[in-house]
Amino acid sequence: MTDSWANSAAGPAASTAGPAVGGVLGVDLHLELRGSGLRAGLMDALREAVRTGRLAPGTRLPSSRSLAADLGIARNTVADAYAELAAEGWLTARQGSGTRVARRSAPRRATPVPPRTRPARGGPAHNLLPGSPDLAGFPRAQWLTAARRALTAAPHEAFGYGDPLGRIELRTALADYLARARGVYAAPERIVVCSGFLHGLMLLGQVLRARRVRAVAVESYGLDFHRNALTKAGLRTPPLPLDARGTRTEELSDLRGVGAVLLTAAHQFPLGMALHPDRRSAAVDWARATDGLILEDDYDGEFRYDRQPVGALQGLDPERVVYLGTASKSLAPGLRLGWLVLPEELVREVSGTKGEVDWVSSVLDQLTLAEFIASGAYDRHVRSMRLRYRRRRDQLVAALAERAPEIRVTGIAAGLHAVVELPPGTERSVVEAAAWQGLAVYGMSRFRHPSVAPGTDALVVGYGTPSDSAWPGALDALCRVLP
């Protein structure tokens, strides 16, 4: 058996490429020649590489001379193998273009047509799940411009292992933006860049457990994977009740062993109300009196419509509130960029928990986001998306008023989702009917804390999720399944 790496020219573009430097052109190709005959072994190896997709259609193969030298066999053996495979249709050989993998149509497969009432196997036809922005709205051109500028200006040391706090360029840009747009006291040295909100919450959970905190209070409606992250850190998550004024933070003092509370103060998820000023003050008073902490999840604070901006709770007491922000809703969750604005006493503990080096957040993405913010592109993008989401919200409200006038819509003054209230006892049947119609949507009960009694039947409609082209169809599908 001969086992060797052969250098192969890559794809159709290779035919127009200039001379190879040092005789090296394209990609490496790993071939294993098995059996007693070299030509047969080479042909089998090439067939397998094409069949399995390791050699894509159009890939240019090495010359017979080059491949023979790489494999340590005679050039005629390679030339004969190429010629026979070309005759079989595996390869093509043209003057001036070299030997390439033949382009062949994939075999057709009979695909059963699903009934109209069932969703497609590849996923729902319409997606109104909350938690995601319109990914088609990601500002690709502006992001690329920022990336080029950031890469050009980056110092050499930026490509090392990195400060666990994150790049100073991003922390400085965030400090300026958060102070201006969200009312956050955010000195750069008190910001830790993390890989999204959940990563930040996991770090805080470990720090709190190391401080002998036994429990973190949570809102009675929220995301289960946030509760799970705290539970995995060894913390209990007792719920706080909610009403029209938000989370009843005055009841924090009644919970035993609680050392922190997780709040969505600007826009409660998923019910949608802002935390009343009296409740904000009560939370801060509790934290000061008990040496506790408030973990503030400001997940979509930039998007407000019919109300004055609601600033971050953190501004009331930066030494008692940990502010958690993310680019997931304003840009895209795939960037995996979030940030913690910490009380001074927590900076060393959190950065130590994160590790000696920044091993989770890409330096290039950090530098690009810093440039994106500093150039004003971030503000322009947020304003543009705010108008887009407001139009969708208005279209949602208008469509429901026309086609389902008995339905009440709440939580619509801000954010990327709305609460569509349902007649008592109908939530489960509506969610099931939506699934059969190819519509992905969550019921309110999905977000209820396990120890909380059932409340109002409702759907949580993520109107920010679909693209502009998909939105009308998703809205129509929603109206069809409502009782």
Side-chain angles (χ1 to χ4, degrees):
M1 178 180 73
T2 299
D3 188 353
S4 179
W5 287 90
N7 181 257
S8 168
S15 62
T16 60
V21 178
V24 178
L25 177 64
V27 298
D28 286 331
L29 171 63
H30 181 67
L31 294 174
E32 292 186 8
L33 277 57
R34 302 179 183 275
S36 56
L38 292 177
R39 187 180 70 173
L42 176 58
M43 291 173 62
D44 287 342
L46 287 169
R47 288 192 194 100
E48 181 198 16
V50 174
R51 188 183 299 114
T52 59
R54 289 201 301 116
L55 282 177
T59 300
R60 185 177 178 181
L61 299 181
S63 67
S64 58
R65 183 191 302 275
S66 175
L67 184 56
D70 286 339
L71 297 177
I73 61 179
R75 180 184 178 187
N76 286 344
T77 302
V78 178
D80 290 346
Y82 277 1
E84 191 163 341
L85 289 172
E88 293 177 4
W90 293 93
L91 307 178
T92 61
R94 293 186 178 89
Q95 187 68 30
S97 181
T99 303
R100 296 178 181 272
V101 177
R103 298 184 181 277
R104 297 183 297 163
S105 299
R108 294 185 177 181
R109 297 178 181 178
T111 302
V113 178
R116 291 185 60 190
T117 56
R118 302 196 67 169
R121 289 187 178 184
H126 307 290
N127 186 356
L128 290 177
L129 300 180
S132 176
D134 176 2
L135 300 180
F138 184 81
R140 297 171 188 246
Q142 295 85 350
W143 186 261
L144 182 59
T145 297
R148 287 171 173 162
R149 290 176 178 169
L151 188 58
T152 300
H156 298 316
E157 55 85 17
F159 302 101
Y161 286 106
D163 187 333
L165 296 181
R167 287 299 304 175
I168 184 60
E169 295 91 340
L170 178 55
R171 291 186 285 119
T172 300
L174 285 171
D176 292 341
Y177 173 78
L178 294 173
R180 169 173 53 82
R182 301 297 300 130
V184 173
Y185 175 78
E189 60 271 15
R190 294 171 66 160
I191 296 177
V192 173
V193 178
C194 54
S195 183
F197 174 87
L198 191 59
H199 178 223
L201 187 62
M202 291 167 64
L203 293 174
L204 291 169
Q206 294 177 57
V207 169
L208 290 170
R209 195 69 183 90
R211 286 184 158 212
R212 301 183 184 278
V213 171
R214 292 180 292 169
V216 175
V218 297
E219 295 166 323
S220 56
Y221 282 80
L223 292 168
D224 56 355
F225 53 85
H226 291 175
R227 296 192 298 266
N228 293 341
L230 296 171
T231 300
K232 288 179 180 178
L235 300 162
R236 294 185 295 106
T237 56
L240 284 169
L242 288 153
D243 59 25
R245 303 204 306 170
T247 305
R248 296 172 59 176
T249 54
E250 67 274 14
E251 297 189 20
L252 277 166
S253 56
D254 298 333
L255 299 177
R256 301 186 60 181
V258 169
V261 57
L262 175 62
L263 297 173
T264 50
H267 186 227
Q268 202 284 326
F269 185 87
L271 293 174
M273 74 284 285
L275 188 62
H276 190 276
D278 290 347
R279 301 269 173 88
R280 288 176 162 232
S281 297
V284 172
D285 290 344
W286 167 84
R288 289 170 177 169
T290 62
D291 197 28
L293 286 171
I294 300 169
L295 314 182
E296 181 180 13
D297 178 6
D298 194 34
Y299 65 101
D300 65 357
E302 291 98 339
F303 299 110
R304 77 274 179 183
Y305 313 117
D306 301 326
R307 71 181 192 195
Q308 292 297 315
V310 177
L313 178 60
Q314 191 261 9
L316 294 179
D317 193 337
E319 299 306 323
R320 292 288 104 205
V321 182
V322 177
Y323 177 91
L324 297 96
T326 173
S328 295
K329 305 299 183 293
S330 57
L331 285 168
L335 291 177
R336 308 312 309 141
L337 284 173
W339 43 88
L340 306 174
V341 183
L342 299 164
E344 185 175 2
E345 66 172 5
L346 281 182
V347 174
R348 179 174 295 182
E349 293 174 65
V350 172
S351 62
T353 301
K354 187 182 179 188
E356 295 298 324
V357 296
D358 188 3
W359 57 272
V360 293
S361 302
S362 163
V363 166
L364 291 180
D365 287 340
Q366 291 186 59
L367 292 173
T368 300
L369 181 56
E371 171 63 27
F372 197 72
I373 295 172
S375 68
Y378 186 81
D379 285 85
R380 291 191 293 274
H381 174 71
V382 167
R383 287 196 297 271
S384 173
M385 297 307 291
R386 187 184 297 145
L387 290 173
R388 179 182 298 186
Y389 295 141
R390 178 168 186 162
R391 284 195 296 269
R392 291 192 190 177
R393 185 215 56 177
D394 292 346
Q395 291 164 357
L396 170 66
V397 172
L400 294 182
E402 177 183 353
R403 298 175 60 178
E406 302 298 321
I407 297 293
R408 180 169 174 255
V409 187
T410 62
I412 57 175
L416 308 180
H417 71 273
V419 175
V420 177
E421 297 185 2
L422 300 171
T426 63
E427 179 183 307
R428 182 175 178 178
S429 62
V430 171
V431 172
E432 290 177 350
W436 278 92
Q437 292 288 336
L439 171 64
V441 67
Y442 285 152
M444 180 64 71
S445 59
R446 181 183 179 90
F447 304 101
R448 189 177 71 245
H449 192 286
S451 65
V452 172
T456 302
D457 282 31
L459 299 179
V460 181
V461 176
Y463 57 80
T465 303
S467 64
D468 281 346
S469 61
W471 165 241
L475 178 57
D476 181 65
L478 173 68
C479 292
R480 288 200 308 267
V481 303
L482 292 176

